Amino acid sequence: MKIINTKFKGLQIIKHNSFGDKRGYLRVTHNQKFINKKFIFEYCTNSKKNSLRGFHFQRKFQQAKYVIVVKGKILDCVIDLRKKSKTYGKIFKIVLSDENNLALYIPEGFAHAYYSYKDKNIVYYKLSNYYHPEYEDGINTLDNDLKIKWPNKKFLISEKDKKLKSFKEFKKKYKFL
């Protein structure tokens, strides 16, 4: 495993070790020597091609996330919502896939979203806190002020995500996390 620090404090890219032969491969996805974080909750999503999920966060009981693509390919995207951060309001994007063996550690205080490239995309999460739907909120992934160039113009988006507020509305309501 190799840890690559980004310009965003605490946001790290993890390059997994992979060992393969004619049967397939084994991928080391977690090693506490490298990622010494306390994860207490895990889940997995399965997304179809052109699915767009997010930007999600919990305003209370915030969650650090360790995101791994088990199958498929996604454009993973985060917004730094931490008040005192030099990168507050800035966006970080990275392609994660089962082929490039990259994962992303996202510290607390970020909103998270992703776009699915393949017909089947299985994304596995380790989280530092439990899911609390009463504190869940988000920012609309299609907010023009964010200036995100998603890979496609037609998306599969949940009704709930379509109704999320803009980043300007987030700043008025919360200011920061």
Side-chain angles (χ1 to χ4, degrees), residues 8 11 55 76-80 87-93 145-148:
F8 292 68
L11 184 69
F55 284 96
D76 205 319
C77 193
V78 297
I79 304 172
D80 189 347
T87 52
Y88 172 78
K90 303 279 189 241
I91 294 167
F92 178 86
K93 298 190 299 188
D145 290 338
L146 296 176
K147 296 182 175 125
I148 299 171

PDB file of all heavy atoms in Angstrom, residues 8 11 55 76-80 87-93 145-148:
ATOM      1  N   PHE A   8      -5.390  18.843  -0.105  1.00  0.00           N
ATOM      2  CA  PHE A   8      -6.458  19.000   0.880  1.00  0.00           C
ATOM      3  C   PHE A   8      -6.020  18.284   2.156  1.00  0.00           C
ATOM      4  O   PHE A   8      -5.781  17.075   2.128  1.00  0.00           O
ATOM      5  CB  PHE A   8      -7.757  18.368   0.373  1.00  0.00           C
ATOM      6  CG  PHE A   8      -8.376  19.067  -0.805  1.00  0.00           C
ATOM      7  CD1 PHE A   8      -7.768  19.067  -2.053  1.00  0.00           C
ATOM      8  CD2 PHE A   8      -9.591  19.714  -0.669  1.00  0.00           C
ATOM      9  CE1 PHE A   8      -8.345  19.700  -3.140  1.00  0.00           C
ATOM     10  CE2 PHE A   8     -10.186  20.345  -1.747  1.00  0.00           C
ATOM     11  CZ  PHE A   8      -9.556  20.345  -2.979  1.00  0.00           C
ATOM     12  N   LEU A  11      -7.028  14.542   3.212  1.00  0.00           N
ATOM     13  CA  LEU A  11      -7.578  13.794   2.078  1.00  0.00           C
ATOM     14  C   LEU A  11      -6.444  13.020   1.424  1.00  0.00           C
ATOM     15  O   LEU A  11      -5.458  13.613   0.988  1.00  0.00           O
ATOM     16  CB  LEU A  11      -8.225  14.753   1.084  1.00  0.00           C
ATOM     17  CG  LEU A  11      -8.927  14.137  -0.122  1.00  0.00           C
ATOM     18  CD1 LEU A  11     -10.198  13.403   0.301  1.00  0.00           C
ATOM     19  CD2 LEU A  11      -9.267  15.218  -1.142  1.00  0.00           C
ATOM     20  N   PHE A  55     -24.050  15.341  -3.640  1.00  0.00           N
ATOM     21  CA  PHE A  55     -23.017  15.402  -2.619  1.00  0.00           C
ATOM     22  C   PHE A  55     -23.661  15.196  -1.256  1.00  0.00           C
ATOM     23  O   PHE A  55     -24.515  15.988  -0.880  1.00  0.00           O
ATOM     24  CB  PHE A  55     -22.334  16.773  -2.627  1.00  0.00           C
ATOM     25  CG  PHE A  55     -21.362  16.990  -3.728  1.00  0.00           C
ATOM     26  CD1 PHE A  55     -21.713  17.633  -4.898  1.00  0.00           C
ATOM     27  CD2 PHE A  55     -20.072  16.518  -3.593  1.00  0.00           C
ATOM     28  CE1 PHE A  55     -20.796  17.830  -5.908  1.00  0.00           C
ATOM     29  CE2 PHE A  55     -19.140  16.718  -4.599  1.00  0.00           C
ATOM     30  CZ  PHE A  55     -19.504  17.368  -5.768  1.00  0.00           C
ATOM     31  N   ASP A  76     -14.931  10.048  -8.584  1.00  0.00           N
ATOM     32  CA  ASP A  76     -15.220  10.382  -7.197  1.00  0.00           C
ATOM     33  C   ASP A  76     -14.904  11.860  -6.990  1.00  0.00           C
ATOM     34  O   ASP A  76     -13.890  12.356  -7.474  1.00  0.00           O
ATOM     35  CB  ASP A  76     -14.368   9.513  -6.267  1.00  0.00           C
ATOM     36  CG  ASP A  76     -14.991   9.349  -4.905  1.00  0.00           C
ATOM     37  OD1 ASP A  76     -15.518  10.339  -4.377  1.00  0.00           O
ATOM     38  OD2 ASP A  76     -14.950   8.247  -4.354  1.00  0.00           O
ATOM     39  N   CYS A  77     -15.770  12.545  -6.278  1.00  0.00           N
ATOM     40  CA  CYS A  77     -15.670  13.995  -6.155  1.00  0.00           C
ATOM     41  C   CYS A  77     -16.047  14.417  -4.734  1.00  0.00           C
ATOM     42  O   CYS A  77     -17.029  13.917  -4.184  1.00  0.00           O
ATOM     43  CB  CYS A  77     -16.629  14.602  -7.176  1.00  0.00           C
ATOM     44  SG  CYS A  77     -16.433  16.339  -7.457  1.00  0.00           S
ATOM     45  N   VAL A  78     -15.256  15.315  -4.151  1.00  0.00           N
ATOM     46  CA  VAL A  78     -15.544  15.815  -2.807  1.00  0.00           C
ATOM     47  C   VAL A  78     -15.444  17.337  -2.780  1.00  0.00           C
ATOM     48  O   VAL A  78     -14.714  17.932  -3.582  1.00  0.00           O
ATOM     49  CB  VAL A  78     -14.607  15.204  -1.733  1.00  0.00           C
ATOM     50  CG1 VAL A  78     -14.802  13.707  -1.627  1.00  0.00           C
ATOM     51  CG2 VAL A  78     -13.153  15.539  -1.993  1.00  0.00           C
ATOM     52  N   ILE A  79     -16.180  17.942  -1.845  1.00  0.00           N
ATOM     53  CA  ILE A  79     -16.092  19.382  -1.583  1.00  0.00           C
ATOM     54  C   ILE A  79     -15.666  19.552  -0.127  1.00  0.00           C
ATOM     55  O   ILE A  79     -16.274  18.968   0.776  1.00  0.00           O
ATOM     56  CB  ILE A  79     -17.446  20.097  -1.769  1.00  0.00           C
ATOM     57  CG1 ILE A  79     -18.029  19.862  -3.149  1.00  0.00           C
ATOM     58  CG2 ILE A  79     -17.295  21.596  -1.496  1.00  0.00           C
ATOM     59  CD1 ILE A  79     -19.458  20.383  -3.304  1.00  0.00           C
ATOM     60  N   ASP A  80     -14.655  20.363   0.091  1.00  0.00           N
ATOM     61  CA  ASP A  80     -14.186  20.644   1.449  1.00  0.00           C
ATOM     62  C   ASP A  80     -15.131  21.660   2.085  1.00  0.00           C
ATOM     63  O   ASP A  80     -15.272  22.778   1.600  1.00  0.00           O
ATOM     64  CB  ASP A  80     -12.757  21.192   1.398  1.00  0.00           C
ATOM     65  CG  ASP A  80     -12.106  21.313   2.760  1.00  0.00           C
ATOM     66  OD1 ASP A  80     -12.815  21.214   3.786  1.00  0.00           O
ATOM     67  OD2 ASP A  80     -10.876  21.516   2.806  1.00  0.00           O
ATOM     68  N   THR A  87      -8.577  24.954   1.850  1.00  0.00           N
ATOM     69  CA  THR A  87      -9.250  24.491   0.631  1.00  0.00           C
ATOM     70  C   THR A  87     -10.777  24.507   0.789  1.00  0.00           C
ATOM     71  O   THR A  87     -11.483  23.838   0.039  1.00  0.00           O
ATOM     72  CB  THR A  87      -8.758  23.082   0.246  1.00  0.00           C
ATOM     73  OG1 THR A  87      -8.867  22.215   1.382  1.00  0.00           O
ATOM     74  CG2 THR A  87      -7.318  23.116  -0.233  1.00  0.00           C
ATOM     75  N   TYR A  88     -11.292  25.298   1.737  1.00  0.00           N
ATOM     76  CA  TYR A  88     -12.740  25.409   1.941  1.00  0.00           C
ATOM     77  C   TYR A  88     -13.431  25.765   0.629  1.00  0.00           C
ATOM     78  O   TYR A  88     -13.021  26.691  -0.080  1.00  0.00           O
ATOM     79  CB  TYR A  88     -13.062  26.464   2.999  1.00  0.00           C
ATOM     80  CG  TYR A  88     -14.550  26.753   3.105  1.00  0.00           C
ATOM     81  CD1 TYR A  88     -15.392  25.877   3.775  1.00  0.00           C
ATOM     82  CD2 TYR A  88     -15.106  27.878   2.502  1.00  0.00           C
ATOM     83  CE1 TYR A  88     -16.751  26.124   3.861  1.00  0.00           C
ATOM     84  CE2 TYR A  88     -16.461  28.131   2.587  1.00  0.00           C
ATOM     85  CZ  TYR A  88     -17.285  27.247   3.267  1.00  0.00           C
ATOM     86  OH  TYR A  88     -18.632  27.482   3.343  1.00  0.00           O
ATOM     87  N   GLY A  89     -14.471  25.014   0.289  1.00  0.00           N
ATOM     88  CA  GLY A  89     -15.251  25.271  -0.920  1.00  0.00           C
ATOM     89  C   GLY A  89     -14.622  24.746  -2.195  1.00  0.00           C
ATOM     90  O   GLY A  89     -15.221  24.817  -3.257  1.00  0.00           O
ATOM     91  N   LYS A  90     -13.428  24.212  -2.099  1.00  0.00           N
ATOM     92  CA  LYS A  90     -12.731  23.674  -3.273  1.00  0.00           C
ATOM     93  C   LYS A  90     -13.159  22.219  -3.506  1.00  0.00           C
ATOM     94  O   LYS A  90     -13.587  21.522  -2.595  1.00  0.00           O
ATOM     95  CB  LYS A  90     -11.216  23.728  -3.094  1.00  0.00           C
ATOM     96  CG  LYS A  90     -10.681  25.104  -2.822  1.00  0.00           C
ATOM     97  CD  LYS A  90     -10.523  25.895  -4.088  1.00  0.00           C
ATOM     98  CE  LYS A  90      -9.796  27.186  -3.835  1.00  0.00           C
ATOM     99  NZ  LYS A  90     -10.516  28.358  -4.139  1.00  0.00           N
ATOM    100  N   ILE A  91     -12.983  21.794  -4.746  1.00  0.00           N
ATOM    101  CA  ILE A  91     -13.412  20.467  -5.173  1.00  0.00           C
ATOM    102  C   ILE A  91     -12.198  19.629  -5.566  1.00  0.00           C
ATOM    103  O   ILE A  91     -11.271  20.136  -6.212  1.00  0.00           O
ATOM    104  CB  ILE A  91     -14.390  20.593  -6.352  1.00  0.00           C
ATOM    105  CG1 ILE A  91     -15.666  21.285  -5.862  1.00  0.00           C
ATOM    106  CG2 ILE A  91     -14.696  19.235  -6.977  1.00  0.00           C
ATOM    107  CD1 ILE A  91     -16.581  21.758  -6.950  1.00  0.00           C
ATOM    108  N   PHE A  92     -12.231  18.366  -5.178  1.00  0.00           N
ATOM    109  CA  PHE A  92     -11.199  17.396  -5.563  1.00  0.00           C
ATOM    110  C   PHE A  92     -11.890  16.266  -6.303  1.00  0.00           C
ATOM    111  O   PHE A  92     -12.915  15.755  -5.845  1.00  0.00           O
ATOM    112  CB  PHE A  92     -10.490  16.851  -4.315  1.00  0.00           C
ATOM    113  CG  PHE A  92      -9.448  15.817  -4.634  1.00  0.00           C
ATOM    114  CD1 PHE A  92      -8.153  16.189  -4.958  1.00  0.00           C
ATOM    115  CD2 PHE A  92      -9.767  14.464  -4.627  1.00  0.00           C
ATOM    116  CE1 PHE A  92      -7.187  15.237  -5.254  1.00  0.00           C
ATOM    117  CE2 PHE A  92      -8.813  13.510  -4.923  1.00  0.00           C
ATOM    118  CZ  PHE A  92      -7.524  13.894  -5.238  1.00  0.00           C
ATOM    119  N   LYS A  93     -11.319  15.870  -7.457  1.00  0.00           N
ATOM    120  CA  LYS A  93     -11.873  14.778  -8.252  1.00  0.00           C
ATOM    121  C   LYS A  93     -10.787  13.755  -8.544  1.00  0.00           C
ATOM    122  O   LYS A  93      -9.629  14.123  -8.757  1.00  0.00           O
ATOM    123  CB  LYS A  93     -12.425  15.285  -9.589  1.00  0.00           C
ATOM    124  CG  LYS A  93     -13.558  16.270  -9.469  1.00  0.00           C
ATOM    125  CD  LYS A  93     -14.234  16.575 -10.797  1.00  0.00           C
ATOM    126  CE  LYS A  93     -13.311  17.185 -11.817  1.00  0.00           C
ATOM    127  NZ  LYS A  93     -13.998  17.649 -13.021  1.00  0.00           N
ATOM    128  N   ASP A 145     -22.775  26.708 -10.121  1.00  0.00           N
ATOM    129  CA  ASP A 145     -21.711  27.471  -9.465  1.00  0.00           C
ATOM    130  C   ASP A 145     -20.510  26.601  -9.099  1.00  0.00           C
ATOM    131  O   ASP A 145     -19.405  27.112  -8.929  1.00  0.00           O
ATOM    132  CB  ASP A 145     -22.235  28.170  -8.212  1.00  0.00           C
ATOM    133  CG  ASP A 145     -23.195  29.311  -8.548  1.00  0.00           C
ATOM    134  OD1 ASP A 145     -23.135  29.829  -9.683  1.00  0.00           O
ATOM    135  OD2 ASP A 145     -23.992  29.685  -7.678  1.00  0.00           O
ATOM    136  N   LEU A 146     -20.721  25.297  -8.975  1.00  0.00           N
ATOM    137  CA  LEU A 146     -19.609  24.394  -8.653  1.00  0.00           C
ATOM    138  C   LEU A 146     -18.697  24.173  -9.863  1.00  0.00           C
ATOM    139  O   LEU A 146     -17.551  23.764  -9.704  1.00  0.00           O
ATOM    140  CB  LEU A 146     -20.134  23.055  -8.139  1.00  0.00           C
ATOM    141  CG  LEU A 146     -20.901  23.108  -6.819  1.00  0.00           C
ATOM    142  CD1 LEU A 146     -21.462  21.733  -6.473  1.00  0.00           C
ATOM    143  CD2 LEU A 146     -20.025  23.628  -5.687  1.00  0.00           C
ATOM    144  N   LYS A 147     -19.230  24.385 -11.061  1.00  0.00           N
ATOM    145  CA  LYS A 147     -18.462  24.256 -12.312  1.00  0.00           C
ATOM    146  C   LYS A 147     -17.802  22.880 -12.455  1.00  0.00           C
ATOM    147  O   LYS A 147     -16.649  22.784 -12.896  1.00  0.00           O
ATOM    148  CB  LYS A 147     -17.424  25.364 -12.418  1.00  0.00           C
ATOM    149  CG  LYS A 147     -18.051  26.742 -12.500  1.00  0.00           C
ATOM    150  CD  LYS A 147     -17.023  27.825 -12.655  1.00  0.00           C
ATOM    151  CE  LYS A 147     -17.733  29.135 -12.842  1.00  0.00           C
ATOM    152  NZ  LYS A 147     -17.437  30.178 -12.002  1.00  0.00           N
ATOM    153  N   ILE A 148     -18.529  21.843 -12.095  1.00  0.00           N
ATOM    154  CA  ILE A 148     -18.012  20.476 -12.246  1.00  0.00           C
ATOM    155  C   ILE A 148     -18.384  19.971 -13.629  1.00  0.00           C
ATOM    156  O   ILE A 148     -19.541  20.020 -14.029  1.00  0.00           O
ATOM    157  CB  ILE A 148     -18.589  19.544 -11.164  1.00  0.00           C
ATOM    158  CG1 ILE A 148     -18.172  20.035  -9.782  1.00  0.00           C
ATOM    159  CG2 ILE A 148     -18.117  18.109 -11.401  1.00  0.00           C
ATOM    160  CD1 ILE A 148     -18.842  19.326  -8.645  1.00  0.00           C
TER     161      ILE A 148
END
